[in-house]
Amino acid sequence: MDSHKKEDCIFCKVIEGKMNADIVFENDSIIAFRDMNPQAPVHILIIPKKHIPMVSECDNSDAGILGEIFIRAKEIAAEQDLPEGYRLVLNNGKSAGQEIFHLHVHLLGGRRMTWPPG
């Protein structure tokens, strides 16, 4: 069963260096790494280092980090050579498909995306 607790969070383990990841970007507030189960040729997860279980648990103090995630997504997409476009996905809760309860944005690219997504 998924946990919302920081001590059980696999993304927190990546941040702490206790779990290996193919990191493509890191600074003091966010980290981005390749998804271990990619759904597209480019599939990168962009997460805050602060443990926020999901969007619905954000508050005004998280506005800066949320903005930074999207600005960095644009930069990472450019570095990954995705000139034709890319998709950003953010799931909130089990019914939306969230499996790991640490807020994360999926950056997907390198293939044609379809709509509706699911």
Side-chain angles (χ1 to χ4, degrees):
M1 180 169 199
D2 292 314
S3 174
H4 297 242
K5 296 178 185 174
K6 181 178 178 173
E7 57 271 10
D8 298 329
C9 176
I10 64 168
F11 288 172
C12 287
K13 289 180 170 90
V14 169
I15 293 163
E16 295 165 0
K18 295 178 181 175
M19 184 173 229
N20 288 335
D22 184 0
I23 297 169
V24 298
F25 177 84
E26 183 173 10
N27 67 15
D28 290 341
S29 55
I30 67 171
I31 188 169
F33 52 92
R34 297 189 189 283
D35 194 296
M36 291 174 59
N37 184 26
Q39 301 301 305
V42 175
H43 188 169
I44 294 170
L45 302 174
I46 306 166
I47 68 171
K49 288 186 173 180
K50 175 185 177 185
H51 182 79
I52 305 168
M54 59 182 126
V55 173
S56 60
E57 294 189 25
C58 291
D59 59 36
N60 288 341
S61 70
D62 298 314
I65 191 67
L66 295 174
E68 183 174 358
I69 286 170
F70 285 93
I71 297 300
R72 296 294 177 209
K74 172 189 79 159
E75 295 170 356
I76 292 166
E79 291 167 2
Q80 296 296 313
D81 194 27
L82 299 173
E84 298 297 317
Y86 53 92
R87 178 171 286 169
L88 298 176
V89 176
L90 197 159
N91 301 317
N92 186 75
K94 285 185 186 276
S95 292
Q98 185 174 2
E99 295 177 3
I100 298 172
F101 285 86
H102 185 121
L103 186 147
H104 56 287
V105 172
H106 299 258
L107 186 156
L108 299 148
R111 68 169 170 83
R112 177 114 176 115
M113 302 290 159
T114 59
W115 194 262

